[in-house]
Amino acid sequence: MTYEYQFNLRGVSCGGCIRAIEARFAACGAIDWAQFDLQSKTLVVRTAVCSDAVIDLIRDAGYNATLEE
């Protein structure tokens, strides 16, 4: 089963921040698709893992996120 989540990002300010998160996603292999919007500091992902696991990956990259309900 695939889920789609939207997150609000904190601490993300540039393309380098996004690349760090993308690298973490690539290393785990659990994210099917991700779309970042740097201006609104949001992220939409499609994945088979729970939203908490995605937040943990973002934190592992050095940033914070909250699930948009």
Side-chain angles (χ1 to χ4, degrees):
M1 180 173 241
T2 300
Y3 303 98
E4 185 170 300
Y5 302 111
Q6 182 166 333
F7 299 94
N8 295 307
L9 301 171
R10 289 186 306 247
V12 174
S13 61
C14 66
C17 301
I18 291 172
R19 285 189 294 279
I21 296 170
E22 288 176 328
R24 188 68 192 120
F25 286 173
C28 82
I31 306 299
D32 299 327
W33 175 84
Q35 180 178 2
F36 291 85
D37 184 327
L38 188 56
Q39 185 174 359
S40 65
K41 297 190 187 317
T42 58
L43 164 65
V44 177
V45 298
R46 288 190 197 125
T47 182
V49 301
C50 70
S51 60
D52 288 339
V54 178
I55 290 172
D56 287 343
L57 290 170
I58 295 167
R59 285 184 182 146
D60 288 347
Y63 305 95
N64 290 308
T66 55
L67 180 63
E68 187 171 294
E69 305 272 344

